[in-house]
Amino acid sequence: MFERLFQALFSYRPVVFQQGDFRFDITTASFVAAGIAAAIMAAAILTYRSVQNGRTRDRVVLTALRMAALALVVFCLFRPTLVVKAAVPQQNVVAVLLDDSRSMQIADWNSQPRAEFLRQQFAAGTSPLLKALSDRFLVRVFRFSATAGRVSSVKDLSFGGSQTKIGTALDGVREELAGLPVAGVVLVTDGADTTEGSIANTLLNLKADKLPVFTVGVGSAKLPRDIQIDRVSTPRTVLKGASLLVDAIITQTGYAGQTVTLDVEDDGRIVGSQKVQLPIDGSPATVRVRATASEPGPRVFSFRVAPQQGEVVTQNNARESLVEVRDTREKILYFEGEPRSEMKFVRRAVVDDKNLQIVTLQRTADNKFLRLDVDTPDQLLGGFPKTRDELFAFRGLILGSVEAAAFSADQLQMIADFVDRRGGGLLMLGGARSFAEGGYGGTPVADALPLLIDPHARASEPTTFARLKVLPTRAGQAHAVTQIAGNEAASAARWPDLPQVTAINAPLALKPAATVLLNGTDERGRSIPALVWQPYGRGKSIAFLPQDSWEWQMHASIPLEDQTHENFWRQMLRWLVADVPSPLEANATTDRVEPGEAITVEATLVDPTFVELNDARVMAHVTRPGGSTLDVPLQWTGERDGQYRGTFVSTVPGAYEVSVDAERAGKPIGTIDPKTGKVIEYVTYVRAGAGDAEYFDPTMHETPLRRIAEDTGGRFYTTENIAGLPEDISYAGRGVTSVEERELWNMPIILLMLVGLVCAEWGYRRTVGLS
């Protein structure tokens, strides 16, 4: 650089310096003039410093004005020139992508639908914007929602797309225009991308192809009045008659402090309802609503808040969730070490529940057992199961007052594996031979339980006795097992009225992963955990310390018709077997797809001892909405042991039933029906239909649109400043371009600025009396 400066100083020929789009032509005369200007600057500074009758502020202002004028002169002496690349007219293509999704029907653009902006700005023959683009470029118009496609005019748009896939649309347009000179891509949308994937790869491809994207955000960044159900959490499968506690998150703007009602509907019937007071704008409100799954089969539960006055968008006031209600009978093994009332009343509490089967094994003497509700005459004939196949056929296991010495070492390990590997539910009840008093310290069962049992403690007679007033903890109030009345408020009010129960097991410390759902308070005010649980491996383990919960049924203060005890044990045992896996399970990766999209079915398969199988033949039998069937083979994925996957395409809207079976070496694998002796096929469901994701988060998403524009070299616009779009594309430097030079020093604005500075100095001097 310095070599070129010296060359300019001692040569009559100009030397050109160029930095980016700016160029400076420097000659010897330029240096001479710059030197003179510098001398004048120095003289001006000295002159104003020597003024005695002026204020310091006046001298500073006058010096600054004189310096600015001289600096502008020096700037002109170096003859700066702006070098730009301009697109050659009618030699380049501009792709215009117009959002054709349903969210463009939202009326938040000047109280009109967003689609109206597209009709006005891109209507052929009447739009100044489209005319300005057409004068400079070859304009190709595309519509997009789930995919992109060419259209002849904006009149071809229906604004009925149920998905917005911006990345897919940009990829499609990039591929269609490959090989053509493209000056830029104009993306007109509200930015509400309904896909869960990233567009990072799309942006990398656009940058590699040097395709700038000019994004235009349509719609408001914040709606004035709107209520939205953000999310609901429901299980995929439940037992018939299950009481669901569902957490829903509601957000709103413009309705802070108002009380609304969240209703749960099943096939048009309201099966649950909960009032909620809305918090301040932007803050989410979490509401827990209780609903009953009373009808078997695939059920679509709707969670709905009634539209409020003045709402801009009402479609986001509802969410739907597909829940499969199974009308099956879950088997639970209850092993009791001695005759006692607790067993009788637990069995009585669920006798009317057709979805629970308690197979009871009660020890009456050494090697003698009472067997109740067994499936076959030979079941449990020799006592507690001695093989994993036999034990793992149950989904839940209750251990009453039975000591660890009643089991062999292998059986104790089997019980731990029942929870850890099989994924079953283990419940240990308080009693004289339970927990530490039963000698479980140091056994595999102790590892599974949520309470710490000293491994050195030996079996002993109980030394404690406590009367407990049992109440739910904060975590327990939100749990289904404590819902003993008609609703959450009634349940919370019912617990303090229940009579005391007793515990004879010594209090034990909690394990780190344990959660206390019920606490008991004794006569001295000490708090003792009454109901504790923890996840363990694939399953869960529960400890219930009271030995006489039957008091909640038989105490003199309890009315004869009271159902508190029954409700508690139904909830407890249904929770015990909830989410327990079967040897063969299958699910669609999503419960809803758009018609024509692929449905992916995944299955997991284990043998009777719950060891994963990778060499089985797994087949999915699909029943379409019209009744036609399709067989889809599922192949081992290789990603995880026991995981199989297959896909098929949804052809028509409606519910698809997918039943899955498996066999290995010619033998069927899965859960055996005790009545028929045949393997039960695993059935799951998926819906094909237009989704409502377009109406959730319905504001204009400025941040992702800005990112798309900045990462590709384009620019972001709103509906207010879109008029400058054609000229910005022309000078983006893409496609077929020509070089234009614009002399900045010769522009009229420079002369006006110079005259303005000189006049400002003169005027200021007269004002302060220094002229």
Side-chain angles (χ1 to χ4, degrees):
M1 177 181 289
F2 290 107
E3 180 181 353
R4 300 186 69 188
L5 287 174
F6 280 111
Q7 180 182 354
L9 182 60
F10 297 106
S11 173
Y12 291 102
R13 292 180 300 172
V15 175
V16 178
F17 287 86
Q18 186 159 346
Q19 181 67 33
D21 294 333
F22 291 95
R23 190 185 72 195
F24 297 89
D25 296 333
I26 303 176
T27 63
T28 303
S30 300
F31 278 104
V32 173
I36 296 173
I40 295 175
M41 290 182 185
I45 294 174
L46 293 175
T47 299
Y48 283 121
R49 287 187 63 182
S50 64
V51 175
Q52 300 296 325
N53 59 343
R55 294 176 298 175
T56 300
R57 185 185 69 181
D58 297 334
R59 293 198 296 269
V60 170
V61 171
L62 290 170
T63 300
L65 291 172
R66 178 70 60 84
M67 297 285 286
L70 293 173
L72 190 59
V73 171
V74 172
F75 174 77
C76 293
L77 291 174
F78 286 105
R79 303 178 66 184
T81 302
L82 178 63
V83 181
V84 296
K85 290 182 179 181
V88 178
Q90 300 302 316
Q91 296 297 313
N92 297 282
V93 174
V94 165
V96 179
L97 276 77
L98 304 179
D99 192 339
D100 194 29
S101 66
R102 292 192 291 180
S103 62
M104 301 304 288
Q105 300 177 18
I106 297 174
D108 64 343
W109 177 70
N110 297 334
S111 299
Q112 300 180 76
R114 298 168 181 174
E116 189 60 30
F117 171 80
L118 272 64
R119 294 189 183 102
Q120 292 184 15
Q121 294 295 330
F122 296 95
T126 61
S127 167
L129 176 64
L130 188 59
K131 184 178 185 304
L133 287 171
S134 300
D135 289 344
R136 291 175 169 87
F137 309 102
L138 303 174
V139 179
R140 294 189 178 179
V141 182
F142 297 80
R143 58 153 297 279
F144 78 94
S145 52
T147 58
R150 286 283 302 274
V151 292
S152 58
S153 72
V154 71
K155 295 180 180 180
D156 297 332
L157 273 60
S158 64
F159 304 106
S162 58
Q163 289 180 304
T164 300
K165 297 182 179 180
I166 293 177
T168 302
L170 290 173
D171 285 335
V173 170
R174 179 180 61 83
E175 293 172 1
E176 181 164 337
L177 300 181
L180 297 178
V182 181
V185 177
V186 181
L187 178 67
V188 187
T189 177
D190 54 20
D193 197 321
T194 58
T195 60
E196 297 180 357
S198 171
I199 63 169
N201 289 335
T202 298
L203 297 181
L204 288 175
N205 291 332
L206 290 168
K207 290 173 67 175
D209 290 350
K210 297 182 179 180
L211 281 182
V213 180
F214 299 83
T215 56
V216 182
V218 185
S220 300
K222 181 180 179 181
L223 298 182
R225 296 173 72 82
D226 183 54
I227 294 177
Q228 173 173 295
I229 300 180
D230 271 353
R231 180 171 55 86
V232 293
S233 301
T234 58
R236 291 291 295 267
T237 61
V238 296
L239 275 178
K240 178 185 174 183
S243 180
L244 302 177
L245 273 183
V246 180
D247 287 328
I249 297 178
I250 301 175
T251 57
Q252 62 81 34
T253 54
Y255 297 98
Q258 291 192 29
T259 299
V260 297
T261 301
L262 175 65
D263 293 324
V264 185
E265 297 180 5
D266 177 13
D267 197 21
R269 297 180 299 107
I270 295 180
V271 294
S273 186
Q274 183 65 47
K275 292 185 179 296
V276 57
Q277 185 176 23
L278 299 175
I280 61 174
D281 288 4
S283 296
T286 301
V287 54
R288 181 171 293 109
V289 60
R290 183 174 178 179
T292 302
S294 56
E295 297 295 329
R299 312 300 301 179
V300 178
F301 286 86
S302 298
F303 299 81
R304 192 181 308 276
V305 173
Q308 304 297 303
Q309 184 176 4
E311 268 198 271
V312 178
V313 183
T314 59
Q315 292 89 340
N316 59 0
N317 288 37
R319 285 272 190 185
E320 290 185 346
S321 183
L322 178 64
V323 178
E324 184 183 348
V325 182
R326 296 187 179 275
D327 190 10
T328 58
R329 203 168 187 213
E330 307 285 23
K331 289 203 304 182
I332 300 171
L333 174 59
Y334 184 173
F335 186 25
E336 184 60 77
E338 59 185 1
R340 61 176 188 156
S341 299
E342 188 74 345
M343 184 194 80
K344 179 178 68 175
F345 281 96
V346 168
R347 287 177 49 81
R348 183 185 295 179
V350 298
V351 68
D352 293 329
D353 193 327
K354 304 304 181 184
N355 296 106
L356 292 175
Q357 176 188 359
I358 301 182
V359 179
T360 305
L361 184 68
Q362 183 188 66
R363 184 177 59 189
T364 56
D366 289 341
N367 296 321
K368 292 185 178 181
F369 303 94
L370 171 66
R371 298 177 300 139
L372 301 174
D373 285 345
V374 292
D375 293 324
T376 65
D378 295 333
Q379 188 177 23
L380 304 177
L381 192 61
F384 191 82
K386 295 179 175 57
T387 66
R388 281 166 172 76
D389 290 19
E390 189 179 4
L391 179 60
F392 288 7
F394 296 93
R395 300 175 70 85
L397 174 61
I398 303 173
L399 297 180
S401 181
V402 56
E403 69 280 2
F407 306 98
S408 67
D410 187 52
Q411 286 175 321
L412 291 171
Q413 185 61 56
M414 280 168 46
I415 295 173
D417 290 344
F418 176 82
V419 185
D420 182 20
R421 196 167 77 189
R422 192 257 182 272
L426 170 64
L427 169 62
M428 182 172 282
L429 306 179
R433 297 181 176 87
S434 305
F435 300 105
E437 290 76 8
Y440 284 94
T443 68
V445 176
D447 295 337
L449 291 174
L451 300 173
L452 285 168
I453 302 177
D454 185 355
H456 305 292
R458 298 190 177 186
S460 61
E461 292 296 322
T463 58
T464 61
F465 182 86
R467 294 188 178 276
L468 303 178
K469 186 67 175 179
V470 176
L471 293 173
T473 62
R474 182 185 293 270
Q477 291 173 358
H479 201 280
V481 75
T482 66
Q483 304 305 303
I484 56 176
N487 53 56
E488 192 171 351
S491 297
R494 180 63 179 136
W495 278 103
D497 296 336
L498 294 180
Q500 292 180 334
V501 292
T502 62
I504 59 176
N505 299 101
L508 299 170
L510 302 175
K511 289 184 178 178
T515 301
V516 180
L517 301 180
L518 292 175
N519 251 338
T521 305
D522 65 9
E523 297 92 332
R524 291 186 287 177
R526 294 180 303 175
S527 181
I528 299 174
L531 179 62
V532 190
W533 84 282
Q534 74 166 4
Y536 184 73
R538 294 178 179 175
K540 57 179 168 287
S541 62
I542 308 168
F544 184 61
L545 277 296
Q547 64 166 346
D548 51 3
S549 67
W550 53 267
E551 287 280 4
W552 295 337
Q553 175 67 48
M554 299 303 294
H555 193 271
S557 64
I558 302 295
L560 183 62
E561 68 279 3
D562 188 88
Q563 294 291 305
T564 299
H565 181 262
E566 287 86 347
N567 290 340
F568 174 76
W569 278 106
R570 286 196 196 105
Q571 295 289 83
M572 172 80 86
L573 298 184
R574 282 173 171 266
W575 173 45
L576 181 69
V577 297
D579 302 320
V580 174
S582 299
L584 173 61
E585 289 200 328
N587 282 301
T589 54
T590 180
D591 66 355
R592 183 183 223 162
V593 297
E594 296 291 320
E597 287 188 338
I599 297 174
T600 300
V601 179
E602 290 186 352
T604 55
L605 182 64
V606 296
D607 67 9
T609 62
F610 277 73
V611 175
E612 293 84 358
L613 299 175
N614 299 331
D615 57 351
R617 184 198 66 82
V618 183
M619 185 69 69
H621 308 284
V622 180
T623 303
R624 298 187 180 99
S628 61
T629 59
L630 172 70
D631 288 342
V632 180
L634 307 186
Q635 305 296 331
W636 178 49
T637 63
E639 302 168 4
R640 195 178 70 187
D641 286 340
Q643 184 185 63
Y644 295 77
R645 183 181 299 139
T647 61
F648 66 95
V649 176
S650 58
T651 54
V652 294
Y656 289 74
E657 180 185 283
V658 183
S659 61
V660 180
D661 58 33
E663 64 176 34
R664 186 190 189 204
K667 296 182 179 180
I669 301 173
T671 303
I672 304 297
D673 188 338
K675 295 181 179 179
T676 63
K678 297 181 179 180
V679 172
I680 302 173
E681 288 187 336
Y682 196 94
V683 180
T684 188
Y685 300 88
V686 63
R687 292 178 295 163
D692 52 6
E694 284 290 318
Y695 297 110
F696 289 86
D697 294 328
T699 57
M700 187 266 287
H701 296 254
E702 179 176 333
T703 301
L705 293 179
R706 281 190 179 278
R707 179 197 170 193
I708 292 172
E710 293 171 359
D711 285 2
T712 59
R715 183 180 173 186
F716 170 75
Y717 301 85
T718 64
T719 55
E720 286 76 23
N721 64 356
I722 194 176
L725 174 65
E727 186 172 359
D728 289 342
I729 299 177
S730 295
Y731 292 105
R734 299 293 186 265
V736 179
T737 60
S738 61
V739 177
E740 294 183 4
E741 296 184 1
R742 298 184 179 183
E743 295 180 335
L744 300 181
W745 63 275
N746 200 25
M747 296 175 64
I749 187 65
I750 300 295
L751 177 61
L752 293 176
M753 290 174 61
L754 181 60
V755 173
L757 289 170
V758 173
C759 292
E761 181 188 0
W762 179 79
Y764 192 88
R765 289 175 59 188
R766 286 186 60 86
T767 302
V768 299
L770 295 177
S771 57

